[in-house]
Amino acid sequence: MSEAPVREVMIQSEAEPLEPAAAPHPAADTILYMDGVTVSFDGFKALNNLSLYVKEGELRAIIGPNGAGKTTMMDVITGKTRPDSGEVFFDGGIDLTKLDEAAIANLGIGRKFQKPTVFESQSVFNNLELAQKGRRDVFTGLFARLSGEQRDHIGRVLERIALTDHVGRLAGNLSHGQKQWLEIGMLLMQDPELLLVDEPAAGMTDAETAKTAEMLQEIARDHSVVVVEHDMEFIKALNCHVTVLHEGSVLAEGSLESVQNNQHVIEVYLGR
Amino acid sequence: MILSNDRNHLLSPLGAKITLAVLLLVAVLVPLLNLSVPPGSAFHVPTYVVSLLGKYLCFAMLALSVDLIWGFCGILSLGHGAFFALGGYAMGMYLMRQIGDRGVYGNPILPDFMVFLNWKELPWYWYGFDAFPFALLMVLLVPGLLALVFGWFAFRSRVTGVYLSIITQAMTFALLLAFFRNDMGFGGNNGLTDFKDLLGFDLQDDGTRAALFVATAVMLVLAYLLCRWIIGSKVGRVLIAIRDAESRTRFLGYRVEYYKLFVFTVSAMLAGIAGALYVPQVGIINPSEFSPANSIEIVIWVAVGGRGYLHGAILGAILVNYAKTYLTGAAPDIWLFFLGGLFIAVTVLLPKGIVGSLDQLRGRLPGGFKPKAQAKVQEMPGE
């Protein structure tokens, strides 16, 4: 089955491309572009004029204390929360603020939750099968049969997430770390252009953390990845550009070292 | 490396084989023992028992339709009796028009209750019900359309869990009140009754009764196979995914509301068929079928049998209704206490129902699968 035409159709029908302007829009050449995004819940500004962009193929880490707005940012990108104001563009010109979760997922944005969320009562294999890129409508689903190529794809992903030996087990019986990997595997099956990964190393052993960092770096070779994380060791292992969020806006940006030496960042992290 | 696309492990092939074998056996044996064995014999099945068993099978189909949405997609409908009743009314309207001029008032067009109310003309929505194929179409379309419209608004607005259950109760209660009204043109309080024949066959005839029983058993088998086919397909796996982690499914790009709408509509149509088969066998349809308590009872049947197995729902419906027949005859005062007690006992002692508990006993759930992992409704992080 060819998937590429589906995506193109979606872009044309469900999203408005930007007007061709004389000067290139700042969102051009970016996979993710957020400008002046504000979200408030009952007067509390979870995101306050947040501006941020991620280039295509980039691996980006986002850190920040609790309540900095990291998860809300993910919610805005994936369509769960609508921003009060501001622009969110994907892939240079697709306005995400007008689409719902399923449409955004089908555009090519995958999301991994903070708490591992896999389909516990189904096998590892079926979890990956459900995530596999392809048509998502009911009618196709009734008659769907896996092709050999799709099986191979699942096999390759299983190897990448080190769960080949657990393919027939129910996802609910996996260890915490394995569930995290399975969820990363599900993202790989979706083959999104942009992966949003929320605290992948939470609750993992050191060995698992190292392996997860390795996995993400490998994924970042052919995908754009945004990782939200608390664990500094993990960020160090990722070896990438870091953005620090604080009270809903960007506090600092740069390499991990430069960010760690930034006076504002030190105040925010130690000043409480 | 085994890369098998395993079917849903809950749909055990053994359970299906036993269910199909028993249903087909009953479909052959019961009419045979009723029609071919002389009434004096110990093996004779009296006609009233044939109809009673037919009624149980209708309830089994109704329970099956509830299990399809509740057991596999987590949609707890407490208004499924409404779809059953609507299917029943569609069949009842056909049967009323079949009476023709043999009614008490002898009006060839108008059913008795309309003559009694001094109506001069048949209301437009009664047109076409003299034709059996049209009535059959309505048996499917009326519950299906109601489910489609109701589901469209409910699922699109993301009404889930207990809120959905409450509005389904409200739906069936609203229909109950509406059908009570004489002005509605469905016989009001008394409903539709005094049926004479179906497709020209006398409804009081033993042969007709046996044929209705066979038709019910066959439809139940087909409905069961349809449900298994849906659940065994990728759609079934998506439905289970929605049940266990709805947002996750959404973020994978599935339009959860369309999947729910599909299965809800199929389920409502199955309930409608069950209702249509029920009415000629019991000989009456009235608004009490819409009562909210009826719909809750269906859920109890499914819970007793075992939610999420399909054949569990069939078993539960038959067992509970057998108990109801027995107890309302032997000790009528006890029945409601028994029903309440049963629900508590099943919730506390057999949370997975009869079939689920048997499954656990046999330990055939793979990988030491704990029932809790499945029963747990996942909360999505990221508020």
Side-chain angles (χ1 to χ4, degrees):
Chain A
M1 196 196 297
S2 71
E3 284 91 10
V6 177
R7 174 167 299 168
E8 272 175 24
V9 168
M10 303 239 22
I11 290 171
Q12 282 166 2
S13 62
E14 299 205 23
E16 295 165 21
L18 284 181
E19 294 290 323
H25 190 276
D29 300 331
T30 62
I31 191 80
L32 179 67
Y33 175 91
M34 304 177 83
D35 188 31
V37 175
T38 300
V39 174
S40 48
F41 300 117
D42 297 329
F44 167 72
K45 284 192 171 167
L47 291 183
N48 187 6
N49 202 16
L50 173 72
S51 300
L52 170 91
Y53 67 90
V54 178
K55 286 197 196 114
E56 193 153 354
E58 193 181 337
L59 170 61
R60 170 75 61 91
I62 293 183
I63 59 174
N66 284 331
K70 304 180 300 270
T71 303
T72 309
M73 184 193 81
M74 296 263 196
D75 286 346
V76 167
I77 299 169
T78 52
K80 193 179 176 192
T81 304
R82 294 253 178 273
D84 300 335
S85 61
E87 296 180 308
V88 186
F89 288 111
F90 170 65
D91 208 8
I94 302 164
D95 188 352
L96 294 182
T97 58
K98 294 193 168 59
L99 305 175
D100 70 358
E101 294 104 315
I104 290 174
N106 286 321
L107 276 177
I109 298 183
R111 176 176 186 176
K112 195 206 147 307
F113 290 95
Q114 199 165 335
K115 190 178 129 203
T117 21
V118 292
F119 303 125
E120 305 231 337
S121 62
Q122 305 202 49
S123 69
V124 168
F125 184 90
N126 284 351
N127 268 270
L128 294 177
E129 184 220 356
L130 282 171
Q132 187 156 45
K133 197 163 133 181
R135 295 180 58 110
R136 296 288 202 233
D137 60 300
V138 177
F139 190 76
T140 311
L142 283 174
F143 301 100
R145 289 277 171 277
L146 280 177
S147 68
E149 191 197 322
Q150 286 174 317
R151 265 168 218 283
D152 291 348
H153 186 195
I154 295 176
R156 283 197 301 278
V157 168
L158 277 169
E159 255 165 60
R160 229 162 150 181
I161 58 172
L163 287 178
T164 306
D165 296 339
H166 304 277
V167 59
R169 282 178 71 187
L170 293 182
N173 295 335
L174 297 176
S175 73
H176 179 82
Q178 286 172 326
K179 281 184 197 170
Q180 298 272 30
W181 293 342
L182 176 58
E183 208 182 350
I184 292 174
M186 288 163 77
L187 285 183
L188 287 173
M189 294 305 299
Q190 258 183 291
D191 195 20
E193 285 176 54
L194 172 65
L195 277 91
L196 305 174
V197 188
D198 204 348
E199 298 205 29
M204 281 189 166
T205 63
D206 289 349
E208 284 172 336
T209 305
K211 192 159 181 185
T212 307
E214 216 173 279
M215 257 180 219
L216 284 175
Q217 271 179 319
E218 205 186 310
I219 291 166
R221 268 186 231 147
D222 39 19
H223 301 86
S224 313
V225 184
V226 174
V227 185
V228 165
E229 189 48 86
H230 273 305
D231 185 342
M232 283 301 167
E233 284 303 307
F234 183 75
I235 302 273
K236 204 184 268 174
L238 286 179
N239 187 26
C240 66
H241 213 67
V242 178
T243 300
V244 185
L245 290 193
H246 178 55
E247 290 176 352
S249 28
V250 174
L251 185 69
E253 218 167 62
S255 69
L256 180 61
E257 247 171 71
S258 75
V259 162
Q260 275 179 321
N261 294 327
N262 183 307
Q263 206 52 44
H264 293 298
V265 176
I266 294 172
E267 272 168 28
V268 165
Y269 268 93
L270 301 176
R272 297 190 171 189
Chain B
M1 179 168 58
I2 312 150
L3 277 189
S4 70
N5 185 352
D6 56 339
R7 317 270 292 178
N8 178 2
H9 66 275
L10 293 176
L11 293 177
S12 76
L14 183 68
K17 275 179 200 157
I18 295 174
T19 309
L20 290 173
V22 170
L23 285 178
L24 291 173
L25 190 72
V26 166
V28 174
L29 218 54
V30 169
L32 208 66
L33 294 181
N34 171 243
L35 297 176
S36 317
V37 178
S41 161
F43 291 104
H44 177 72
V45 175
T47 303
Y48 84 89
V49 174
V50 175
S51 287
L52 193 63
L53 290 175
K55 200 173 98 175
Y56 292 170
L57 293 188
C58 291
F59 288 151
M61 200 161 147
L62 179 56
L64 186 70
S65 76
V66 169
D67 195 27
L68 181 66
I69 53 170
W70 185 38
F72 294 92
C73 196
I75 303 169
L76 176 54
S77 166
L78 292 181
H80 245 54
F83 301 121
F84 180 81
L86 286 173
Y89 265 98
M91 178 56 89
M93 286 161 83
Y94 165 75
L95 295 172
M96 285 307 269
R97 301 221 44 195
Q98 283 287 293
I99 298 172
D101 57 7
R102 289 170 289 171
V104 179
Y105 298 107
N107 189 314
I109 304 286
L110 295 187
D112 278 350
F113 73 87
M114 291 187 190
V115 181
F116 183 74
L117 290 172
N118 256 329
W119 290 19
K120 299 294 171 224
E121 266 177 54
L122 198 66
W124 61 268
Y125 45 83
W126 276 77
Y127 290 168
F129 276 96
D130 48 337
F132 189 65
F134 180 82
L136 282 192
L137 196 67
M138 289 301 125
V139 163
L140 289 174
L141 276 189
V142 174
L145 272 178
L146 177 65
L148 199 67
V149 172
F150 180 89
W152 169 258
F153 286 110
F155 300 139
R156 216 181 41 140
S157 315
R158 301 194 181 173
V159 180
T160 53
V162 69
Y163 300 100
L164 187 92
S165 304
I166 290 169
I167 60 169
T168 53
Q169 279 263 287
M171 176 191 75
T172 196
F173 190 63
L175 286 166
L176 170 78
L177 296 180
F179 274 75
F180 260 130
R181 298 172 60 238
N182 281 329
D183 297 347
M184 278 287 281
F186 295 105
N189 198 5
N190 300 318
L192 311 175
T193 188
D194 291 333
F195 308 134
K196 302 279 189 258
D197 48 29
L198 173 74
L199 289 171
F201 296 101
D202 183 2
L203 278 175
Q204 304 310 319
D205 185 62
D206 285 1
T208 314
R209 299 246 153 194
L212 276 170
F213 176 82
V214 173
T216 310
V218 169
M219 280 314 293
L220 178 59
V221 166
L222 292 178
Y224 178 65
L225 291 176
L226 175 76
C227 291
R228 270 184 73 86
W229 178 69
I230 292 173
I231 297 306
S233 76
K234 191 182 169 195
V235 171
R237 294 191 283 279
V238 176
L239 293 177
I240 294 168
I242 292 170
R243 179 192 71 189
D244 293 347
E246 183 168 329
S247 317
R248 204 342 96 276
T249 317
R250 240 183 254 276
F251 285 119
L252 281 182
Y254 290 98
R255 296 218 169 262
V256 165
E257 55 275 23
Y258 293 166
Y259 278 83
K260 285 185 171 178
L261 199 56
F262 165 75
V263 78
F264 192 63
T265 306
V266 169
S267 165
M269 287 160 95
L270 288 179
I273 298 172
L277 288 161
Y278 172 81
V279 167
Q281 297 188 75
V282 297
I284 185 169
I285 173 81
N286 63 29
S288 70
E289 296 297 337
F290 285 108
S291 96
N294 271 20
S295 294
I296 293 173
E297 220 179 294
I298 307 165
V299 170
I300 299 180
W301 305 339
V302 178
V304 168
R307 170 190 170 201
Y309 291 91
L310 295 179
H311 55 273
I314 297 177
L315 183 72
I318 294 173
L319 283 183
V320 176
N321 278 293
Y322 175 72
K324 185 177 187 173
T325 307
Y326 178 76
L327 279 177
T328 47
D333 301 338
I334 295 181
W335 165 244
L336 278 178
F337 292 102
F338 176 80
L339 190 68
L342 186 70
F343 198 44
I344 294 170
V346 165
T347 314
V348 174
L349 302 173
L350 295 176
K352 300 208 74 190
I354 296 168
V355 171
S357 304
L358 283 177
D359 224 8
Q360 259 170 291
L361 273 183
R362 285 161 61 217
R364 58 171 301 283
L365 293 175
F369 171 53
K370 290 183 191 67
K372 270 182 189 157
Q374 192 224 343
K376 189 177 71 189
V377 178
Q378 288 217 340
E379 297 271 90
M380 195 60 54
E383 52 286 312

